[in-house]
Amino acid sequence: MFDLQTLIVALTVFVLAIFIGYEVITKVPPTLHTPLMSGSNAISGIVIVGALLVASKADGLISQILGAIAVGLAMINVVGGFMVTDRMLKMFKRSDGKES
Amino acid sequence: MSTEALFNLNAAGIAYIVSAILFILGLKRLGSPATARTGNRLSALAMLLAVLATVFSNDIASWEWILVGVIVGSGIGAYSARKVQMTSMPQLVAIFNGLGGATSAVVAAGELIRLIDLEELIPQDVSITIMASVIVGGATLTGSLIAYGKLQGVVPTRPLLLPIRHVINTVLLLGMIGSTAWFVIDPSISAFLTAAIMAVALGILIVIPIGGADMPVVIALLNSYSGIAGAATGFVLGNNILIIAGSLVGASGLILTRIMTKAMNRSLVNVMLGGFGVDDSTMGASGDDERPVTSILPEDAALILGYAQSVIFVPGYGLAVAQAQHQVRELADLLKIKGITVKYAIHPVAGRMPGHMNVLLAEANVPYDELKDLDEINGEFSSTDVAVVIGANDVTNPSARNDKSSPIYGMPILNVDQAQSVIMMKRSMSSGFAGVQNELFFLEKTQMLFGDAKNSVEKIVGEIKDL
């Protein structure tokens, strides 16, 4: 729970992060756009932090179950996303046979 | 708050900053295939750090449920990451996007129930962000599931147009604004559920009128939404790492969406309104074209290729459908042994999602430095002996450059028609997704090689070995 001032701080963080994201991601070459999508997908699994916060404070059965569902869904994203991205990036090789 | 608890919170705050830096560095390393793999690992490390910081800075009431979630979720994630075929990558990403949205919605629901149990007044900024989480999250979930269904062929890929869909969508949109206002005044479960149900319905209705060929745009956009939903959850919980990581993903998805719409010569509004590709039947009339084309056999193609000095392969999704990547790479290897330069021209919409064709070719051991994108390769066609188009169509149609009356006029294309000669591998004379006849077929320099791409390339390989 937070007041207006913290909301403004949060908005500042949000806007600055969008700008950094834009700068960094425009430099990703087209050849890596699929791994970029699956990798950023895994990063959006950061809601695992929110899921853990909710699950850790849960006391009733309903909120405990909701917390567990949220943690489970986020873990599919995190584990699946990073693993499949690694699997793809492993395949990218240069013509001199060097692994990426 | 005890000093120990305060210390834990500060330590977590610092861990979150480190984690944010690692996420950004990880994404930065995706700037080159040589560093991308370590970049992905940095991001994974950042995630681990954020999770550990959260676990250790909070008193967790009961571990059992959380552990069940972690074990089941990791198991499903690991299994699908190992088993998925590279051709099905768009489906996997679609599903993962949807799960990201679902998580945000469930977290918002959990937080709401907790706040209601506390019987404290819920501040307006929190209630607004709870609604943002559940609306964006819910719509992302069902929109992604429909996109998955269309890619997988479970849901009809042609656009399904409800007669009064714009009215329904507007009513749903107004309904969500209304229920958000209701929720802010009186944060109740019923207001929350009303918005959730409408968001879920809107997700379905938004994606269902969009044709299968436009799915790359939809996936990129949903990718962005899953990030924005995460950032919204960060606002709900007042947690900066969620906001930062969520906006990085949001930005990434938006950039990819813009690249895709530009490559298709469409506006985002135009894609979202849907219905593209509906009038196939009327446009298909041009399929009755009686103009003559030159048709050749694999043996002829082998001769043309064997005596060329430079060759550019232009793969399209038809190549992946025919599973001919490995045969094409074998052919390329043979040509390289003969001293012929080989390159691959990759159009941004060559696959079913951004960069999909590059992954499919990398799987077939094609070196990534031979894969050239549109801007890199287009100047090189005029100095190339043979361009071999395999299962691509619309992206090679010179009408996009020359014919102002063509529906695809203005779309960026590969200038295949500028090569000295063109071999076009195709199943039939049928037109592409856009339903437009390809002028390339009728050029004097173009030779059509009809049949299954895999079969044809195999035969060419055999012939070249005997040359």
Side-chain angles (χ1 to χ4, degrees), chain A residues 1-3 7 10-11 13-14 17-18 20-22 24-37 40-58 61-62 64-66 68 70-95 99-100, chain B residues 16 27-28 30-34 36-37 40-41 43-44 47 51 54 58-62 65-66 69-70 73-74 77 81-82 84 86 93 96-97 99-100 103-104 106-107 113-115 123 125 219-220 223 226 230 235 237-239 242-245 247-249 252 255-256 258-259 353-356 358-359 362-363 367-369 373:
Chain A
M1 234 161 300
F2 44 93
D3 49 50
L7 181 68
L11 273 175
V13 171
F14 177 67
I18 295 247
I20 293 178
Y22 183 85
V24 172
I25 283 148
T26 40
K27 296 198 174 64
V28 177
T31 195
L32 290 178
H33 277 168
T34 294
L36 169 66
M37 278 181 89
S40 63
N41 218 312
I43 294 178
S44 75
I46 190 70
V47 275
I48 181 85
V49 167
L52 284 169
L53 285 175
V54 166
S56 68
K57 291 174 192 153
L61 185 64
I62 296 178
Q64 277 183 344
I65 292 176
L66 280 180
V71 169
L73 291 173
M75 279 312 274
I76 299 179
N77 240 341
V78 171
V79 174
F82 283 126
M83 275 181 65
V84 87
T85 308
D86 190 65
R87 201 180 130 199
M88 275 190 275
L89 291 173
K90 201 166 61 185
M91 301 186 314
F92 280 82
K93 294 192 179 78
R94 284 184 61 85
S95 35
E99 211 178 277
S100 67
Chain B
Y16 285 154
L27 284 172
K28 220 171 132 85
L30 277 182
S32 149
R37 209 171 166 204
N40 185 51
R41 289 179 174 175
S43 300
M47 185 69 70
V51 167
T54 312
N58 287 279
D59 295 323
I60 292 179
S62 72
W65 285 102
I66 294 179
V70 168
S74 310
R82 276 172 188 276
V84 67
M86 289 299 149
V93 170
F96 281 0
N97 279 337
L99 296 181
T103 317
S104 299
V106 175
V107 169
I113 289 175
R114 189 183 72 85
L115 291 173
D125 53 348
I219 306 176
N223 193 224
S226 75
F235 279 93
L237 303 168
N239 186 306
L242 276 175
I243 298 177
I244 294 171
S247 9
L248 291 176
V249 178
S252 158
I255 291 170
L256 292 173
R258 216 186 49 185
I259 293 174
M353 68 187 286
H356 193 197
N358 306 68
V359 171
E363 189 189 19
Y368 64 77
D369 44 339
D373 61 42

Side-chain angles (χ1 to χ4, degrees), chain B residues 247-332:
Chain B
S247 9
L248 291 176
V249 178
S252 158
L254 282 180
I255 291 170
L256 292 173
T257 308
R258 216 186 49 185
I259 293 174
M260 283 294 113
T261 48
K262 234 174 93 185
M264 291 171 148
N265 194 30
R266 313 267 306 280
S267 72
L268 185 56
V269 176
N270 182 272
V271 170
M272 296 313 288
L273 283 178
F276 194 69
V278 173
D279 27 347
D280 272 358
S281 50
T282 52
M283 283 202 214
S286 57
D288 301 332
D289 217 311
E290 296 288 337
R291 287 178 289 170
V293 296
T294 325
S295 166
I296 57 166
L297 295 170
E299 298 82 68
D300 309 316
L303 276 177
I304 299 172
L305 286 170
Y307 293 107
Q309 285 183 343
S310 50
V311 173
I312 296 179
F313 287 106
V314 182
Y317 194 67
L319 169 110
V321 173
Q323 288 287 320
Q325 305 95 296
H326 295 271
Q327 282 71 21
V328 171
R329 203 251 314 141
E330 202 186 341
L331 175 57

Side-chain angles (χ1 to χ4, degrees), chain B residues 105 108-110 112 130-131 134 179 183 188-197:
Chain B
L112 173 65
I130 284 183
M131 289 311 256
V134 74
S179 52
F183 185 80
S188 63
I189 301 272
S190 20
F192 180 85
L193 284 180
T194 313
I197 290 167

